[in-house]
Amino acid sequence: MNLAIKDVQHNVGRFSLTAVGIGMMLMIVMGMAGIYRGLIEDATLIINRIDSDLWIVQRDTRGPFAEMSRVPETLVYRVQAVPGIISAREFVFHTIQRQHDGKPLRMSVLGLSWPTDKGEWLPLVSGRPLARNHFEIIVDKALGFQLHEKIKLGKETYTVVGITSGMVSSGGDGMGIVTVSDSQAIQFDSVGEALRLERSARERRSAEVDIFQNQPQLVEQLAHPASELPAISSPAISAVIASLAPGTNIDQVQELIASWGDVSVFTKAEQEDLLLQGMVDKARRQLGMFRTLLTIIAAVIMALILYTLTLDKLHSIALLKLLGAPDRTILGMLLQQAVALGVMGYVIALVMGRQLFPYFPRRVVITNEDLLQLFLIVLAISVLSSLLGIWRAMRVRPTEALMG
Amino acid sequence: MSEPLAIETRQLNKVYGSGRTEVVALRQATFQVPKGKVVALLGPSGSGKSTLLTIVGLVIAPTSGQVLINGQLVVDGAHAKTDLRSYRRHHIGFVFQKANLIPFLSAIENVQVALQLNGVGAGKARGRAKELLKNFGVLERSSDMPARLSGGEQQRVAIARALANDPQVLLGDEPTAALDSERAKQVIELFGKIAHEQNAGVIVVTHDHRFLDVFDSIYEMEDGVLKERVAAA
């Protein structure tokens, strides 16, 4: 006869509710670990999907993900000319927050180097890659758009031609994938009034400069937006990504490009490290703190519940002692209940988590390693939290069965 | 030749507290319960009856004095001469005023647990528990939880549990207090029967003077002093 099971059967409602409560708390602990894993996956996803050997970014920046990077579009031709490089592409990446149907729309915009890259490598769940240079967009399902839906970004309207799954930025924002030129149009979109003010200011200044009097073509150019003026526009792409020919010494190529002076070069692994050690590391530590605190709170709550459950059966424990039950029988009963409570809570957390995590705003990735680690932690806190109850039970004297 | 003794106490003293809070619960209590005999312990509340019973039941230790069971010295002052909990499990049965059944075990499991604690296998323990419950007329209630049993049924289950391991010593602490006259008489007679059939020593603490003729000896306690009052037939 297992006394622990008998007691649980007798108090099944109470025990189940307690297990559900602990399960919910453990689910949050599990979710925290999952969010951290998701954060790492999201952060490194684009780097892994693009799978380029080298990332050439603005000098002394850690771009384009960890911080902003701007390089001239012409850089791509320079990179292509380096021996050992078989392909080089523009890379544009930025995050926007606009209004769509009266709701805020936050999207990470990824620019593909048209026509070299049409997005065939994207994990499409429906639709197709880009087929036109303009006004087509592939979106991640996290953004909630439907295929063929129209999205107005800036002055242009884009048609959803493809839906991806799992394409989110390290910030958890779903990606919108367009061509490089469209991504620039989205990024540098200015309202008409700003353009008019800038243009009139330029015209006013040109009236005072002799060169504009002698070269009317220059005056004509002043009507263009700032981003389109070759002399004054800022570099328009985030980075250049390059793939090496098989057998090429990556260190030599990296050293060569880095010697140019206006760019920094990172390998794929270095780019991953930048993300993980920079922006993800803080989130990791924060989630780690939450996990630790929640685990401690779960242990304290379990200890209090187990202590209360023990207090409720002190008379039975005294009676068992009076009947001659050895301490190990009573200790075993309490320990088994504690472990059962922990394991039930763990199973509930697992089942609830599997149902609820897909609805979390951020991706939750649960690995077997994390599940095993949490299971061992649950076993440990179950044993630890039962100690208070065991201590109380061991102090019960058999004579207490004779009272009341 | 003297009768073999189930229980013997020698100059038991029990003092609770010390200094100004000192309470002497038992003074030089010496008595004997031969095997197969039932002894009644009478006395007002606070006279020390329950203290004596718990010392004999090896639940608490005396301040001084000795307890012998079946001629074996098991307690000498505050010192146990054996593993008392194990000894209690094997040789002593308790019946209380309240049935004191374990609330999360059914009637049959309450009996079974006493056997299984003693190392009896689950199947054998269940068979023996059934037999005992049948003997006490509560077999049909064997799967009921204590809360669903009447006071009399609970007490019979408690007695069945006390007898599960064929104890050499049976101790009853006012076991009839919660029962009507008819049931009380049955229980007292049952104690006598158990003593005679199992050759056990039985001590029953009681306030009930209606059935004193059933007892082989009667002891009275007052202020911790034990005196033999009447030798019953």
Side-chain angles (χ1 to χ4, degrees), chain A residues 1-4 6-7 10-11 313 315-316 319-330 333 396-399 401-404, chain B residues 50 54 57 59-60 85-86 88-90 94 96 98-105 108-110 112-114 116-117 122 145 161 173:
Chain A
M1 182 192 316
N2 186 306
L3 293 172
K6 292 289 172 191
D7 185 35
H10 186 62
N11 296 296
K313 48 178 176 281
H315 188 262
S316 298
L319 198 55
L320 283 167
K321 286 188 177 182
L322 190 68
L323 292 174
D327 283 343
R328 66 172 183 279
T329 303
I330 291 152
M333 175 173 75
V396 172
R397 289 169 292 122
T399 45
L402 307 173
M403 298 169 187
Chain B
S50 294
T54 48
V59 178
I60 61 171
R85 209 182 284 191
S86 169
R88 198 161 64 229
R89 194 164 65 226
H90 284 90
F94 289 93
F96 314 100
K98 280 172 67 183
N100 260 339
L101 299 178
I102 297 170
F104 54 84
L105 298 180
I108 194 165
E109 287 163 350
N110 262 285
Q112 213 179 319
V113 73
Q116 288 192 239
L117 285 174
M145 302 307 279
R161 180 180 65 190
D173 192 357

Side-chain angles (χ1 to χ4, degrees), chain A residues 221-281:
Chain A
Q221 286 217 348
L222 290 177
H224 292 273
S227 59
E228 293 174 17
L229 299 181
I232 61 169
S233 67
S234 54
I237 60 171
S238 309
V240 169
I241 49 177
S243 299
L244 299 181
T248 306
N249 185 325
I250 193 167
D251 294 334
Q252 280 179 359
V253 176
Q254 189 178 12
E255 199 179 331
L256 174 68
I257 298 174
S259 70
W260 291 347
D262 63 337
V263 294
S264 292
V265 190
F266 298 108
T267 61
K268 184 183 165 189
E270 287 168 343
Q271 190 62 257
E272 275 188 12
D273 284 348
L274 283 178
L275 273 169
L276 298 180
Q277 288 168 12
M279 53 201 294
V280 176
D281 185 57

